[in-house]
């Protein structure tokens, strides 16, 4: 069984926003994030609403299958939970005003506006959501680390997740629902990290996340799950369980449709103002065919028959 020391950090910007803490223990050596996970911790499949205390998402092998689970450290004993049966309840105790500071201009709300924040540092009465790659079987199997991929967000507002190292470090945006999907975050093996999750509006949010990794055996693993957040005291956790997720479209390099609905023609940076090479080749071939036809006509009827017999135009 492992223990973990928790602490609160000073508020950023004269008490405006609790969004600072150390990053991952593996990256900074912060003892507050040191933890060990036992291999024999149980896996629960019953529905659970988690509204307080420390939880992580992370991969574990369940009956031999690589699976993204929720590690509930608030339970006694610590328990892994299946993602579809878990709701993270972010109550109004998480409401925090956005700082009037240009470093936070990326946040999806104006300065002074209150938003719900799952903080990087633990706060009383607020769920504390992080991630880890510390299951013993995972650590023995994974080559170097894993990738956490944001594949989509469904909800009434924007969601941003960012890290901040210490009280003076600049924010590092990891996921942003306003940007194209997928969005990857690399996680070293044996890492335990917490970040700031910012929800612009109250309501139900479904967050599609994939965890993937290359193994030391040369094989690869991946699993995708939809995290469920019930944001705001007035939001129903039953609704969060019942809401169905519609997968978000991924980014594409295909040209955008024009006014007729057809893909727009891509510009040719090399042949600016000239006929594209393919069209020039077609035009040249047409001229050649006309010349051959004229010569054939001049040679007379019999020559034309022979040309046709040989397959010429």
């Amino acid at each position: 069984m492992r223990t973990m020391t928790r602490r609160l950090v000073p508020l950023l910007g004269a008490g405006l926003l609790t969004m600072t803490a150390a990053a991952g223990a593996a990256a900074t050596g912060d003892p507050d994030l040191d933890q060990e996970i036992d291999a024999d911790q149980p896996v629960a499949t019953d529905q659970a609403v988690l509204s307080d205390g420390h939880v992580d998402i992370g991969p574990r092998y369940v009956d031999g299958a690589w699976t993204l689970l929720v590690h509930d450290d608030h339970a006694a004993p610590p328990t892994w939970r299946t993602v579809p049966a878990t709701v993270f309840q972010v109550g109004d105790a998480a409401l925090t005003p956005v700082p009037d500071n240009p470093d936070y201009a990326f946040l999806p709300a104006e300065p002074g506006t209150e938003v719900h924040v799952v903080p990087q540092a633990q706060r009383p009465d607020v769920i504390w959501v992080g991630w880890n790659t510390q299951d013993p079987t995972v650590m023995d199997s994974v080559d170097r680390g894993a990738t956490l991929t944001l594949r989509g967000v469904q909800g009434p507002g924007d969601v941003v997740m960012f890290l901040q190292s210490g009280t003076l470090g600049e924010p590092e945006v990891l996921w942003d629902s306003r940007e194209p999907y997928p969005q990857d975050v690399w996680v070293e093996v044996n890492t335990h990290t917490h970040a700031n999750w910012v929800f612009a509006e109250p309501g139900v949010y479904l967050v599609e996340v994939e965890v993937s990794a290359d193994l030391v055996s040369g094989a690869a693993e991946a699993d995708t799950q939809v995290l469920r957040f019930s944001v705001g005291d007035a939001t129903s956790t039953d609704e969060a369980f019942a809401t169905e997720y519609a997968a978000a479209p991924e980014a594409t390099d295909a040209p955008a449709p024009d006014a007729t609905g057809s893909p727009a023609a891509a510009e040719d940076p090399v042949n600016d103002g000239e006929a594209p090479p393919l069209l020039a080749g077609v035009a040249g071939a047409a001229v050649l065919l006309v010349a051959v036809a004229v010569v054939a006509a001049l040679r007379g009827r019999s020559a034309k028959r022979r040309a046709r017999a040989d397959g010429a135009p």
Side-chain angles (χ1 to χ4, degrees), residues 190-271:
N190 194 22
T191 292
H192 175 213
T193 306
H194 284 256
N196 304 286
W197 305 65
V198 180
F199 299 88
E201 303 287 344
V204 171
Y205 290 82
L206 305 184
V207 180
E208 185 182 25
V209 177
E210 178 188 63
V211 59
S212 58
D214 293 327
L215 307 184
V216 293
S217 66
E221 298 279 20
D223 185 44
T224 301
Q225 299 287 340
V226 176
L227 309 179
R228 297 175 178 271
F229 291 84
S230 176
V231 178
D233 285 353
T235 301
S236 166
T237 56
D238 289 339
E239 181 185 355
F241 278 119
T243 302
E244 295 185 0
Y245 177 72
E250 294 191 357
T252 176
D253 293 330
D258 60 18
T260 66
S262 301
E267 294 184 1
D268 187 341
V270 177
N271 295 280

Side-chain angles (χ1 to χ4, degrees), residues 141-213:
S141 304
V142 168
D143 182 16
R144 295 179 54 237
T147 300
L148 279 177
T149 301
L150 178 66
R151 294 208 166 273
V153 172
Q154 178 177 310
D158 299 314
V159 179
V160 174
M161 183 176 73
F162 72 95
L163 277 172
Q164 190 162 24
S165 181
T167 57
L168 300 178
E170 293 185 2
E172 177 188 359
V173 178
L174 303 180
W175 288 342
D176 188 335
S177 65
R178 298 165 295 181
E179 298 296 329
Y181 307 113
Q183 300 172 28
D184 293 342
V185 174
W186 172 253
V187 185
E188 296 284 348
V189 73
N190 194 22
T191 292
H192 175 213
T193 306
H194 284 256
N196 304 286
W197 305 65
V198 180
F199 299 88
E201 303 287 344
V204 171
Y205 290 82
L206 305 184
V207 180
E208 185 182 25
V209 177
E210 178 188 63
V211 59
S212 58

Side-chain angles (χ1 to χ4, degrees), residues 50-163:
L50 307 181
S51 59
D52 189 15
H54 172 228
V55 298
D56 295 323
I57 60 172
R60 180 179 173 176
Y61 281 95
V62 180
D63 296 330
W66 171 274
T67 309
L68 180 62
L69 296 173
V70 176
H71 185 251
D72 182 4
D73 182 55
H74 198 57
T79 299
W80 291 92
R81 299 187 181 277
T82 56
V83 174
T86 304
V87 164
F88 302 120
Q89 186 177 31
V90 184
D92 289 347
L95 280 170
T96 314
V98 173
D100 188 6
N101 182 325
D103 286 347
Y104 298 92
F106 65 88
L107 292 176
E110 295 296 322
T113 303
E114 286 194 322
V115 292
H116 288 83
V117 179
V118 173
Q120 187 170 329
Q122 189 175 19
R123 291 174 59 184
D125 303 319
V126 178
I127 189 70
W128 192 33
V129 183
W131 58 87
N132 76 67
T133 50
Q134 295 182 304
D135 175 75
T137 305
V138 167
M139 290 196 295
D140 289 341
S141 304
V142 168
D143 182 16
R144 295 179 54 237
T147 300
L148 279 177
T149 301
L150 178 66
R151 294 208 166 273
V153 172
Q154 178 177 310
D158 299 314
V159 179
V160 174
M161 183 176 73
F162 72 95
L163 277 172

